[in-house]
Amino acid sequence: MNKIPTALLAFRIMAWITGVVLAVASVWALYGYLFLDYGLEGGKPLLYSILWIAHGWLYFAYLIAAVNLAFLLRFPIFKTLALLLAGTIPFASFYADYVMHRYVRSLPAKELPSKEASTQ
Amino acid sequence: MRQSSDLASRAKTPASILAVLALIGVCVLFFFLGKWQWDRTQDILDAERAATFAAVSVAEIQQPMNSKDFGRSVSAVGKFIDQDQVRIGSRFSPDSISGDWIVSAFELSSGQRVAVVRGWVPKGGSFSTPVSQVTVEGVLHPSESFYDFGGDQSGEVVVIDSQQLSELWNTELLDGFIVIQSQVPLDSGAPLFVPPTISTADVAFPLQNFFYAIQWWVFALFAVAIYIRWLVFGSKLRA
C-alpha cells in the first residue's frame, strides 16, 4: 500500500487552510498596527485574537501532516525543518505545497520509498 | 524484544544523540516561551484585579514599581509642593483640546514625595495651588520613558518620568506617577482632571497570551513525539 498520495493530500489541505488563516491574520495585523491602535493593550478586536489562536492549533495539524509526509519521503533533517517552518511564514505554505507536489510527481513510481519499504 | 533492543541501539547512534540534544534545547526554549506568555496572562489579570480594588495608599506600593500595579487606584494625603511644578505642553483635555498638563511633586505626611498629574489647563493658562493638606485619589502610571526621543533642547519637559522629574526638582520621588481623579478639598482654580492614559480595569481576558502559552507547551510535547516516531520509523526500516 502506498501512503504517499494520502499524505500528500492531507498536507495540501493543511497547507491551504493554515496558509489562508495566516495570510488573513498577517494582513490584518499589518493594517491594525499601522493604521489602528493594535499596539495598545486591549486595542485588538476579539475575532483578530481568535484568528491567531486558530492559526496556532491549525499549525499543529499542519505539523502532523508535514512530518508524516517528510518521513514517508525520507527527507533529511533541514529539508524537514524548512517544510515545518513554511507553516509559520505568510504565503510560504502555498509554495511548499507546490514544491511537494512537483517533487512527488518527479519521483519514478518504483522509487517511491514507502513502496520499497512495504514490499520487503 | 528484538525491536526494543534495536531501538536502544539506534538511540545510541551519533545522529540520534545530536537529535536528543536538539530536542532538549527545543523543549527548554518552548517551555520558557510558554512561561513568558503565561506570565503575561497573569500580569494582565493581576493588574485588572488590582485596578478594581479600592484605592490603596501610594506609600504601600512596592518600589521599584511592578507591572501588576500599573493602573491601580491609589490615594495620598499630603500637600502639593508649589515650587516643584512643571507644565507639559501639547497634552489633551477631556474634550480633546490641546493645552498644558500640570505635573507637581506631592509630599505625603510621611515625607515621601511622588509626582502627580494635577490636570489640564488651557495653553499657558493659570491655576491655583492649595497650601493646606489635601486628599487625592488617582490612577498609578509607569513613567512615560518610552516617549523619550531626546527632543528637549530648550530644557522643556515633554515626558512624565519620575527619574527626570526627580533630577529637575532635586528631590527623591516614588516610582511612576499618579493621574489625579479626585481631590478633597477642591479649590476653584484647580486644573481640570484628565482621564488616565492607561486603563487596566476593563481589558478583555488575554486570550491570545493564554492560548499561546498552552500552544508552546503542546509544541514541546510534539517535538518529543516526533523524535520517538523517528526512532521507531528508522528501526522498522532496518527490519
Side-chain angles (χ1 to χ4, degrees), chain B residues 11-78:
Chain B
K12 283 178 203 149
T13 60
S16 181
I17 289 166
L18 265 182
V20 170
L21 291 179
L23 179 68
I24 292 170
V26 163
C27 285
V28 169
L29 177 70
F30 283 13
F31 171 78
F32 282 106
L33 285 170
K35 187 168 182 314
W36 167 55
Q37 292 288 350
W38 183 258
D39 290 345
R40 275 293 296 147
T41 308
Q42 294 308 317
D43 280 352
I44 291 169
L45 293 180
D46 283 350
E48 172 159 37
R49 215 168 294 137
T52 55
F53 280 165
V56 294
S57 166
V58 69
E60 286 171 29
I61 299 294
Q62 198 190 329
Q63 301 287 323
M65 208 161 99
N66 190 298
S67 67
K68 72 176 170 22
D69 290 322
F70 294 175
R72 187 165 198 159
S73 276
V74 288
S75 63
V77 180

Side-chain angles (χ1 to χ4, degrees), chain B:
Chain B
M1 191 62 210
R2 226 198 98 222
Q3 208 199 345
S4 66
S5 65
D6 187 38
L7 264 189
S9 69
R10 192 167 146 74
K12 283 178 203 149
T13 60
S16 181
I17 289 166
L18 265 182
V20 170
L21 291 179
L23 179 68
I24 292 170
V26 163
C27 285
V28 169
L29 177 70
F30 283 13
F31 171 78
F32 282 106
L33 285 170
K35 187 168 182 314
W36 167 55
Q37 292 288 350
W38 183 258
D39 290 345
R40 275 293 296 147
T41 308
Q42 294 308 317
D43 280 352
I44 291 169
L45 293 180
D46 283 350
E48 172 159 37
R49 215 168 294 137
T52 55
F53 280 165
V56 294
S57 166
V58 69
E60 286 171 29
I61 299 294
Q62 198 190 329
Q63 301 287 323
M65 208 161 99
N66 190 298
S67 67
K68 72 176 170 22
D69 290 322
F70 294 175
R72 187 165 198 159
S73 276
V74 288
S75 63
V77 180
K79 53 190 187 202
F80 297 108
I81 307 299
D82 197 18
Q83 69 272 25
D84 291 344
Q85 294 200 97
V86 64
R87 276 172 196 273
I88 300 195
S90 306
R91 296 280 180 148
F92 289 114
S93 73
D95 303 324
S96 302
I97 301 164
S98 185
D100 301 333
W101 278 12
I102 306 303
V103 177
S104 171
F106 187 89
E107 189 173 281
L108 308 178
S109 25
S110 64
Q112 286 170 299
R113 288 180 176 191
V114 61
V116 295
V117 173
R118 294 189 56 199
W120 178 91
V121 294
K123 190 172 164 51
S126 60
F127 59 92
S128 69
T129 303
V131 287
S132 58
Q133 177 172 287
V134 292
T135 300
V136 295
E137 217 173 281
V139 178
L140 193 60
H141 283 55
S143 290
E144 297 175 331
S145 39
F146 50 89
Y147 282 140
D148 204 341
F149 36 81
D152 51 343
Q153 297 95 334
S154 58
E156 192 190 349
V157 180
V158 290
V159 296
I160 309 170
D161 179 285
S162 57
Q163 189 76 44
Q164 214 174 305
L165 291 171
S166 153
E167 284 164 22
L168 181 73
W169 295 330
N170 195 22
T171 182
E172 288 271 310
L173 289 173
L174 295 178
D175 231 5
F177 62 92
I178 304 172
V179 178
I180 293 179
Q181 302 297 299
S182 81
Q183 177 188 323
V184 180
L186 186 62
D187 46 314
S188 58
L192 200 60
F193 298 138
V194 290
T197 319
I198 61 165
S199 164
T200 54
D202 289 315
V203 296
F205 180 81
L207 274 182
Q208 243 177 302
N209 300 101
F210 177 74
F211 278 104
Y212 280 180
I214 294 173
Q215 281 165 355
W216 279 121
W217 293 332
V218 170
F219 285 139
L221 292 179
F222 186 66
V224 176
I226 292 181
Y227 170 72
I228 292 170
R229 176 134 199 294
W230 177 69
L231 270 188
V232 172
F233 200 88
S235 72
K236 266 191 196 157
L237 266 185
R238 280 209 213 155

